[in-house]
Amino acid sequence: EAMVHAPRIPNLHTVLVDALEMYRRALRDRLDAAVADGALPPGTDTFGLAVIVVAMLDGLGLQHWLQPEIDYTRGARALAGFFDDPTR
């Protein structure tokens, strides 16, 4: 509901943008730490990765809201498997 009204309500828009930036920043901090620890390759675009992961989570939330009967844990397992072996 908030997403629908945000373009027409400046204060709501600001709150939502601030929240998205906070989530991206928190995720990017974790991704930067993963690069520093060697868990992610040097040169990983942590900002770009944070943007796409937050967007995917937004989309997942929307889909779950629209179709709660779908087993989204199956998708989560598939995605986790991809990250375990990205050569697949």
Side-chain angles (χ1 to χ4, degrees):
E1 189 76 19
M3 294 288 205
V4 171
H5 295 290
R8 294 182 301 275
I9 304 172
N11 289 343
L12 178 59
H13 180 268
T14 299
V15 167
L16 290 178
V17 167
D18 288 348
L20 286 172
E21 288 178 356
M22 180 186 67
Y23 295 138
R24 284 192 298 263
R25 188 172 33 256
L27 180 55
R28 186 177 185 189
D29 288 347
R30 292 187 64 127
L31 293 169
D32 286 340
V35 171
D37 292 343
L40 288 174
T44 296
D45 180 358
T46 57
F47 176 78
L49 193 53
V51 166
I52 198 68
V53 169
V54 169
M56 287 170 48
L57 291 172
D58 279 346
L60 181 62
L62 176 62
Q63 288 184 32
H64 181 66
W65 179 66
L66 292 171
Q67 295 181 288
E69 71 278 5
I70 292 178
D71 179 9
Y72 291 98
T73 58
R74 181 175 173 184
R77 285 191 302 272
L79 185 60
F82 172 81
F83 283 112
D84 287 342
D85 182 4
T87 61
R88 288 192 231 171

mmCIF file of all heavy atoms in Angstrom, residues 74-88:
data_model
loop_
_atom_site.group_PDB
_atom_site.id
_atom_site.type_symbol
_atom_site.label_atom_id
_atom_site.label_comp_id
_atom_site.label_asym_id
_atom_site.label_seq_id
_atom_site.Cartn_x
_atom_site.Cartn_y
_atom_site.Cartn_z
ATOM 1 N N ARG A 74 11.409 -23.101 -1.538
ATOM 2 C CA ARG A 74 12.016 -23.848 -2.643
ATOM 3 C C ARG A 74 12.917 -22.912 -3.459
ATOM 4 O O ARG A 74 14.037 -23.280 -3.830
ATOM 5 C CB ARG A 74 10.915 -24.442 -3.518
ATOM 6 C CG ARG A 74 11.430 -25.255 -4.663
ATOM 7 C CD ARG A 74 10.286 -25.897 -5.412
ATOM 8 N NE ARG A 74 10.769 -26.544 -6.603
ATOM 9 C CZ ARG A 74 9.989 -27.113 -7.483
ATOM 10 N NH1 ARG A 74 8.680 -27.110 -7.320
ATOM 11 N NH2 ARG A 74 10.500 -27.676 -8.554
ATOM 12 N N GLY A 75 12.435 -21.724 -3.751
ATOM 13 C CA GLY A 75 13.249 -20.744 -4.465
ATOM 14 C C GLY A 75 14.462 -20.326 -3.652
ATOM 15 O O GLY A 75 15.554 -20.156 -4.197
ATOM 16 N N ALA A 76 14.276 -20.172 -2.361
ATOM 17 C CA ALA A 76 15.395 -19.788 -1.491
ATOM 18 C C ALA A 76 16.473 -20.869 -1.498
ATOM 19 O O ALA A 76 17.668 -20.565 -1.551
ATOM 20 C CB ALA A 76 14.902 -19.536 -0.074
ATOM 21 N N ARG A 77 16.060 -22.135 -1.460
ATOM 22 C CA ARG A 77 17.029 -23.237 -1.506
ATOM 23 C C ARG A 77 17.769 -23.252 -2.846
ATOM 24 O O ARG A 77 18.980 -23.471 -2.898
ATOM 25 C CB ARG A 77 16.340 -24.574 -1.263
ATOM 26 C CG ARG A 77 15.956 -24.798 0.185
ATOM 27 C CD ARG A 77 15.509 -26.235 0.441
ATOM 28 N NE ARG A 77 14.371 -26.632 -0.389
ATOM 29 C CZ ARG A 77 13.093 -26.443 -0.066
ATOM 30 N NH1 ARG A 77 12.791 -25.860 1.083
ATOM 31 N NH2 ARG A 77 12.134 -26.852 -0.868
ATOM 32 N N ALA A 78 17.039 -23.011 -3.930
ATOM 33 C CA ALA A 78 17.669 -22.986 -5.255
ATOM 34 C C ALA A 78 18.693 -21.856 -5.341
ATOM 35 O O ALA A 78 19.794 -22.036 -5.870
ATOM 36 C CB ALA A 78 16.611 -22.848 -6.340
ATOM 37 N N LEU A 79 18.336 -20.706 -4.818
ATOM 38 C CA LEU A 79 19.249 -19.571 -4.841
ATOM 39 C C LEU A 79 20.478 -19.840 -3.974
ATOM 40 O O LEU A 79 21.605 -19.560 -4.372
ATOM 41 C CB LEU A 79 18.527 -18.299 -4.369
ATOM 42 C CG LEU A 79 19.322 -17.008 -4.443
ATOM 43 C CD1 LEU A 79 19.751 -16.710 -5.882
ATOM 44 C CD2 LEU A 79 18.509 -15.856 -3.886
ATOM 45 N N ALA A 80 20.260 -20.410 -2.799
ATOM 46 C CA ALA A 80 21.390 -20.752 -1.929
ATOM 47 C C ALA A 80 22.315 -21.738 -2.624
ATOM 48 O O ALA A 80 23.539 -21.618 -2.547
ATOM 49 C CB ALA A 80 20.884 -21.320 -0.607
ATOM 50 N N GLY A 81 21.751 -22.692 -3.336
ATOM 51 C CA GLY A 81 22.563 -23.655 -4.073
ATOM 52 C C GLY A 81 23.382 -22.992 -5.161
ATOM 53 O O GLY A 81 24.536 -23.349 -5.393
ATOM 54 N N PHE A 82 22.802 -21.999 -5.812
ATOM 55 C CA PHE A 82 23.536 -21.265 -6.826
ATOM 56 C C PHE A 82 24.742 -20.567 -6.208
ATOM 57 O O PHE A 82 25.841 -20.582 -6.765
ATOM 58 C CB PHE A 82 22.632 -20.241 -7.505
ATOM 59 C CG PHE A 82 23.363 -19.322 -8.438
ATOM 60 C CD1 PHE A 82 23.685 -19.742 -9.721
ATOM 61 C CD2 PHE A 82 23.736 -18.059 -8.039
ATOM 62 C CE1 PHE A 82 24.375 -18.910 -10.582
ATOM 63 C CE2 PHE A 82 24.424 -17.210 -8.902
ATOM 64 C CZ PHE A 82 24.739 -17.644 -10.174
ATOM 65 N N PHE A 83 24.563 -19.958 -5.053
ATOM 66 C CA PHE A 83 25.664 -19.250 -4.421
ATOM 67 C C PHE A 83 26.703 -20.206 -3.853
ATOM 68 O O PHE A 83 27.867 -19.860 -3.737
ATOM 69 C CB PHE A 83 25.170 -18.285 -3.349
ATOM 70 C CG PHE A 83 24.591 -17.033 -3.931
ATOM 71 C CD1 PHE A 83 23.236 -16.763 -3.826
ATOM 72 C CD2 PHE A 83 25.382 -16.132 -4.611
ATOM 73 C CE1 PHE A 83 22.696 -15.614 -4.377
ATOM 74 C CE2 PHE A 83 24.859 -14.975 -5.174
ATOM 75 C CZ PHE A 83 23.510 -14.720 -5.053
ATOM 76 N N ASP A 84 26.285 -21.431 -3.506
ATOM 77 C CA ASP A 84 27.253 -22.423 -3.058
ATOM 78 C C ASP A 84 28.166 -22.858 -4.212
ATOM 79 O O ASP A 84 29.327 -23.145 -4.011
ATOM 80 C CB ASP A 84 26.549 -23.666 -2.495
ATOM 81 C CG ASP A 84 25.938 -23.402 -1.141
ATOM 82 O OD1 ASP A 84 26.334 -22.412 -0.481
ATOM 83 O OD2 ASP A 84 25.046 -24.185 -0.730
ATOM 84 N N ASP A 85 27.607 -22.906 -5.426
ATOM 85 C CA ASP A 85 28.373 -23.296 -6.610
ATOM 86 C C ASP A 85 27.929 -22.445 -7.790
ATOM 87 O O ASP A 85 27.083 -22.860 -8.590
ATOM 88 C CB ASP A 85 28.161 -24.783 -6.922
ATOM 89 C CG ASP A 85 28.978 -25.247 -8.128
ATOM 90 O OD1 ASP A 85 29.761 -24.432 -8.676
ATOM 91 O OD2 ASP A 85 28.818 -26.403 -8.528
ATOM 92 N N PRO A 86 28.464 -21.227 -7.923
ATOM 93 C CA PRO A 86 28.019 -20.303 -8.967
ATOM 94 C C PRO A 86 28.361 -20.753 -10.380
ATOM 95 O O PRO A 86 27.988 -20.110 -11.344
ATOM 96 C CB PRO A 86 28.692 -18.984 -8.605
ATOM 97 C CG PRO A 86 29.824 -19.341 -7.752
ATOM 98 C CD PRO A 86 29.463 -20.637 -7.065
ATOM 99 N N THR A 87 29.079 -21.871 -10.543
ATOM 100 C CA THR A 87 29.419 -22.346 -11.892
ATOM 101 C C THR A 87 28.269 -23.107 -12.518
ATOM 102 O O THR A 87 28.314 -23.441 -13.692
ATOM 103 C CB THR A 87 30.656 -23.253 -11.864
ATOM 104 O OG1 THR A 87 30.402 -24.403 -11.050
ATOM 105 C CG2 THR A 87 31.851 -22.486 -11.323
ATOM 106 N N ARG A 88 27.215 -23.396 -11.754
ATOM 107 C CA ARG A 88 26.081 -24.136 -12.303
ATOM 108 C C ARG A 88 25.309 -23.318 -13.293
ATOM 109 O O ARG A 88 25.119 -22.179 -13.223
ATOM 110 C CB ARG A 88 25.123 -24.542 -11.192
ATOM 111 C CG ARG A 88 25.690 -25.618 -10.338
ATOM 112 C CD ARG A 88 24.594 -26.133 -9.487
ATOM 113 N NE ARG A 88 25.076 -26.117 -8.117
ATOM 114 C CZ ARG A 88 24.319 -26.337 -7.087
ATOM 115 N NH1 ARG A 88 23.062 -26.523 -7.240
ATOM 116 N NH2 ARG A 88 24.801 -26.366 -5.890
#
